[in-house]
Amino acid sequence: MHEHVQLEPLAKDVPQTKRGHERCLALLLSATELFLERGYDNVSLDDIVNHAGGSKASIYKYFGNKAGLFKAICDYRREKFFADINVHTEDTNCDLRQHLIDTLLNFYCHILEPENAAFMRLILEQSQRDPDIALHIHERGPVHIQQSIAYFLETAHLQGLLHCENPLFSAQLYFGILRNLEWRILMGIPPHETDQEIINYISYCVDRFLDAHQKR
């Protein structure tokens, strides 16, 4: 539930009370709704506090400014994304093949959600206008998830489950499996494959990925 969201990595000044926590989260959620509805540039801080309640002082206190609030929203959604796709597992005793398949399927299902796809489009648009936001999102989004998978692959390599000399390169190759599907979603092109065809595609690609990482 929303009230249990950990705000420490998100807010500039972490609220110490339940009421402060709820106010901070309300600002995040309201700003997200307005940004998606109107676009980043067409939403003012007044719009956000009128929608969420409270005052602009709360935004300055918790997030610094509008850009800081947008970064916090991106971090908040990233944390939810990682929880949804379960990429953080360190249990290499699991079915390695199935874990790699499930991670990509969960990733695909996440970006297939209309709100998530719309937010990714918003991120791409805003990144073109603000290099600081672009770097923030890149480092805490794509780079972070690649490093998580790279760590998983490196652990599997050290345990002799596969051969992976450069885990980060392999992680980038792995996520490339979804690139065409991801861009079609972002461009608003409806998927023409059935769920089973998507599963078959991802399974095939993961098998080829593992073929290239066979123990030598």
Side-chain angles (χ1 to χ4, degrees):
M1 296 177 62
H2 290 316
E3 59 264 33
H4 298 303
V5 173
Q6 174 58 255
L7 291 175
E8 187 165 353
L10 308 179
K12 174 174 170 283
D13 183 355
V14 181
Q16 299 301 313
T17 65
K18 180 180 179 181
R19 183 179 178 185
H21 185 286
E22 291 173 348
R23 184 181 300 117
C24 186
L25 186 56
L27 289 169
L28 281 176
L29 298 177
S30 290
T32 301
E33 183 178 340
L34 292 175
F35 289 151
L36 287 173
E37 179 183 326
R38 306 179 192 174
Y40 179 87
D41 290 337
N42 296 322
V43 176
S44 68
L45 295 185
D46 286 328
D47 292 331
I48 294 169
V49 296
N50 288 337
H51 190 270
S55 66
K56 285 194 287 188
S58 295
I59 294 180
Y60 297 134
K61 175 180 174 61
Y62 296 137
F63 307 108
N65 54 28
K66 182 178 171 182
L69 175 58
F70 187 72
K71 290 178 183 177
I73 291 169
C74 292
D75 291 342
Y76 168 71
R77 295 184 72 92
R78 185 198 70 238
E79 291 303 316
K80 287 176 59 63
F81 166 75
F82 275 114
D84 289 343
I85 70 170
N86 191 32
V87 74
H88 282 311
T89 181
E90 297 179 7
D91 180 18
T92 50
N93 292 319
C94 65
D95 184 331
L96 185 66
R97 175 181 181 272
Q98 194 59 50
H99 174 67
L100 293 173
I101 291 172
D102 289 344
T103 297
L104 291 180
L105 284 173
N106 290 339
F107 194 119
Y108 174 74
C109 289
H110 178 89
I111 60 177
L112 197 58
E113 290 290 329
E115 181 179 312
N116 294 330
F119 193 78
M120 289 177 70
R121 294 186 196 105
L122 179 64
I123 286 174
L124 290 174
E125 180 181 357
Q126 194 56 30
S127 295
Q128 298 302 307
R129 302 174 181 177
D130 189 330
D132 183 55
I133 284 180
L135 183 61
H136 177 88
I137 293 171
H138 178 66
E139 291 297 322
R140 301 196 181 194
V143 170
H144 189 61
I145 191 171
Q146 288 168 8
Q147 289 173 340
S148 297
I149 287 295
Y151 177 76
F152 179 81
L153 294 173
E154 181 180 23
T155 302
H157 172 80
L158 293 174
Q159 293 179 352
L161 300 176
L162 48 74
H163 181 82
C164 186
E165 295 177 344
N166 195 314
L168 185 56
F169 285 0
S170 291
Q172 293 168 351
L173 177 66
Y174 169 73
F175 280 110
I177 292 171
L178 285 183
R179 194 66 61 231
N180 181 55
L181 296 174
E182 182 180 2
W183 276 105
R184 278 169 37 195
I185 292 170
L186 292 179
M187 290 187 289
I189 301 173
H192 57 265
E193 300 92 349
T194 65
D195 290 346
Q196 188 58 54
E197 286 172 335
I198 293 293
I199 293 171
N200 291 345
Y201 164 72
I202 289 176
S203 299
Y204 173 86
C205 292
V206 167
D207 284 339
R208 302 293 75 75
F209 178 83
L210 290 173
D211 286 345
H213 292 82
Q214 288 293 312
K215 292 183 289 184
R216 299 176 182 176

